[in-house]
Amino acid sequence: MKIKNMLLMPLFAVLLAGGMASCSDDDFGPTIFDTTVRPLDRSVYTFPLDTFLKVRFQEPYNMRYIYKMEDIGSDMEYNLVPCSYDKCQTLAVLCEYLWYDVYKDIVGETFLKKYSPRIIHLIGSPAYNPSSGTETLGTAEGGLKITLYNGNELNPNNIEMMNEKFFKTMHHEFSHILNQNYNRPTEFDLISNGKYNVTSWQDTPDSVALGQGFITPYGSSQAGEDWVELIANYIVKDDNTWSRMLGAAKYEWEEVDYNVKDFDAAVKRGALRDTLGYMIKVGSYAGGQPETYKVQRKKVNRDETNTAIPNAEGKFTFLDEDGIDGQAVILQKLDMTRQWLKTNFNYDLDAMREGVQKRQWVTDDNGDYVKDANGNFINNLTYRRNDGTTLLETLLNEIEKFKELQTNN
């Protein structure tokens, strides 16, 4: 989350100008801003989307969905470009279907009118931070505005990526807004006190963070991010992914470097079987091949060749040198967020998660998830239904309907 003080400067200039222009006892209205309601221009190409946004967001929630990038509302630290019109349409209908409509169903329209952001600003390009090697996915500013980056990469065929780049970010930033209205429990900040790493969290592997009781490396940066990352990930991660994350959190992990020769030898003798089976290619390359690998592995008793040693029963003895049960810590933190949301907002976190999941993935007539031959959930947005259409096409058609207002003009 970022709070941008630069946005105060234009507001100060407007207020100052208003003061200089009116130094008498003139009657003042309720606002100094122009509140004239002007009809949308039916001649412009974007009229259908503009009308959809007005009807679905602005009128019920007083929320502006800004997709025509505004320089004055953008972070000048980044080299940014606008989002394509097609991507803007897709994100608009998905924002309503996977976010606003779920909150309306679970927490109610009054909740959204009171706490939802007043502006969502969509940017087409990513926001890279070269000094830290990180990417800013979104920002929440003063409880009023959420900025989303990289809109041109929106891909409804890949729900995991779409959640990571957009919808997890939305829940993350919205949870910051809620936290700005009610403080999280001070006990939460004490659970992992001393374990947060604000300066180099980006160097922490996912598995290592999980084993320390953080749902993501970014959550290990500070307590405020820990809080909202847990809420957001719990909502969007499917059951298989969430179970794998909790399973990994039961262990203590380490990251080790291998050169190619040692890595190949370790693979041959089975020394990597006790990892999750993924590695990161790093370092220099020779002839198109990596020279080094970084491997995340569970801490376990090993011999002089760095191979895990099984006990008499053929099982590994896993080490717990930090004394942290990451799974228990994550579940303890999750229970705190669950109680806090219910107490302060009458917000049922488990119902929210179920509502999002059943909109993301195909379910049968009994409400059970349908899986493919590999046991993976099936994308509900792009799944071809019996009539040959997809849910996403149906959602986008809600924008297309407003074209009739243009043709009948």
Side-chain angles (χ1 to χ4, degrees):
M1 177 183 66
K2 293 184 178 179
I3 305 298
K4 295 186 179 64
N5 294 325
M6 60 177 282
L7 294 181
L8 298 177
M9 296 177 64
L11 177 59
F12 175 77
V14 170
L15 293 174
L16 182 60
M20 293 176 65
S22 303
C23 297
S24 65
D25 293 329
D26 295 340
D27 291 334
F28 292 101
T31 176
I32 64 173
F33 300 107
D34 184 1
T35 59
T36 304
V37 178
R38 296 179 175 85
L40 296 172
D41 186 350
R42 299 190 183 196
S43 66
V44 300
Y45 177 76
T46 61
F47 174 80
L49 176 57
D50 295 334
T51 308
F52 174 87
L53 297 175
K54 180 180 179 181
V55 172
R56 300 300 181 87
F57 292 122
Q58 185 174 346
E59 291 179 351
Y61 305 117
N62 193 26
M63 194 278 282
R64 293 178 61 208
Y65 178 98
I66 301 175
Y67 66 94
K68 299 173 183 177
M69 195 179 82
E70 299 181 348
D71 285 344
I72 196 169
S74 306
D75 194 327
M76 299 302 180
E77 295 179 5
Y78 303 116
N79 184 20
L80 303 173
V81 302
C83 189
S84 73
Y85 183 66
D86 287 344
K87 298 292 186 180
C88 291
Q89 290 186 98
T90 301
L91 189 60
V93 298
L94 292 180
C95 184
E96 181 186 41
Y97 180 72
L98 290 175
W99 196 36
Y100 267 78
D101 281 356
V102 187
Y103 278 100
K104 183 174 68 174
D105 290 346
I106 302 303
V107 198
E109 198 168 37
T110 300
F111 167 87
L112 278 174
K113 290 179 179 180
K114 183 175 182 179
Y115 296 111
S116 70
R118 294 296 168 251
I119 297 173
I120 292 180
H121 190 194
L122 181 59
I123 306 294
S125 52
Y128 293 118
N129 306 297
S131 61
S132 61
T134 61
E135 177 183 354
T136 298
L137 299 179
T139 59
E141 300 167 20
L144 298 175
K145 176 182 177 182
I146 289 178
T147 299
L148 298 172
Y149 296 97
N150 210 16
N152 287 329
E153 295 301 315
L154 178 69
N155 181 9
N157 291 298
N158 188 336
I159 287 183
E160 291 83 359
M161 184 279 287
M162 192 171 66
N163 277 332
E164 191 66 27
K165 295 288 187 179
F166 302 99
F167 291 99
K168 189 186 82 172
T169 303
M170 291 182 189
H171 292 293
H172 173 114
E173 299 300 345
F174 188 42
S175 297
H176 273 309
I177 291 175
L178 297 180
N179 195 183
Q180 290 166 9
N181 283 274
Y182 290 92
N183 291 329
R184 64 184 178 274
T186 55
E187 294 82 4
F188 180 92
D189 294 24
L190 299 176
I191 295 175
S192 295
N193 188 33
K195 297 293 183 180
Y196 293 109
N197 184 2
V198 69
T199 58
S200 58
W201 60 267
Q202 65 273 11
D203 299 323
T204 304
D206 292 350
S207 53
V208 174
L210 287 166
Q212 294 174 346
F214 304 110
I215 202 64
T216 63
Y218 189 39
S220 71
S221 63
Q222 52 186 300
E225 302 303 336
D226 191 9
W227 177 262
V228 298
E229 275 289 275
L230 186 55
I231 294 172
N233 277 274
Y234 183 64
I235 291 173
V236 303
K237 299 296 186 186
D238 65 68
D239 289 346
N240 290 346
T241 303
W242 183 255
S243 295
R244 285 196 297 267
M245 294 171 76
L246 287 182
K250 293 172 60 177
Y251 301 94
E252 184 173 353
W253 294 77
E254 60 185 351
E255 184 176 68
V256 295
D257 293 321
Y258 278 91
N259 60 41
V260 169
K261 180 179 179 181
D262 291 342
F263 179 82
D264 289 343
V267 170
K268 289 179 180 178
R269 67 173 180 268
L272 300 181
R273 289 176 182 169
D274 58 301
T275 71
L276 283 181
Y278 62 88
M279 64 287 300
I280 303 173
K281 298 177 181 179
V282 295
S284 59
Y285 283 73
Q289 297 298 317
E291 292 186 325
T292 59
Y293 289 92
K294 283 186 180 294
V295 174
Q296 293 84 48
R297 67 186 188 188
K298 300 168 187 172
K299 286 189 176 181
V300 65
N301 286 324
R302 299 178 183 277
D303 61 21
E304 64 279 1
T305 67
N306 216 19
T307 302
I309 305 172
N311 58 24
E313 298 177 352
K315 299 180 180 179
F316 296 125
T317 302
F318 297 103
L319 305 180
D320 184 18
E321 296 175 349
D322 62 8
I324 299 174
D325 182 341
Q327 183 184 96
V329 170
I330 289 172
L331 292 176
Q332 179 186 7
K333 292 177 178 177
L334 181 63
D335 191 53
M336 282 190 175
T337 66
R338 184 183 284 117
Q339 293 181 34
W340 179 84
L341 289 167
K342 188 66 175 178
T343 299
N344 293 296
F345 304 100
N346 197 29
Y347 172 158
D348 188 328
L349 181 59
D350 296 298
M352 178 66 65
R353 180 175 189 274
E354 182 180 13
V356 168
Q357 294 299 314
K358 291 199 170 181
R359 287 170 180 254
Q360 290 183 157
W361 309 110
V362 174
T363 58
D364 60 22
D365 294 338
N366 296 321
D368 297 323
Y369 296 110
V370 179
K371 298 182 180 180
D372 62 20
N374 297 317
N376 299 315
F377 294 103
I378 299 174
N379 187 329
N380 190 40
L381 302 174
T382 57
Y383 172 73
R384 287 285 167 190
R385 299 174 292 197
N386 292 334
D387 63 1
T389 65
T390 69
L391 172 60
L392 182 57
E393 290 169 348
T394 300
L395 296 175
L396 287 170
N397 190 52
E398 293 299 306
I399 296 177
E400 289 295 305
K401 289 179 180 178
F402 291 109
K403 283 188 176 180
E404 297 177 5
L405 295 178
Q406 287 181 300
T407 57
N408 295 331
N409 183 23

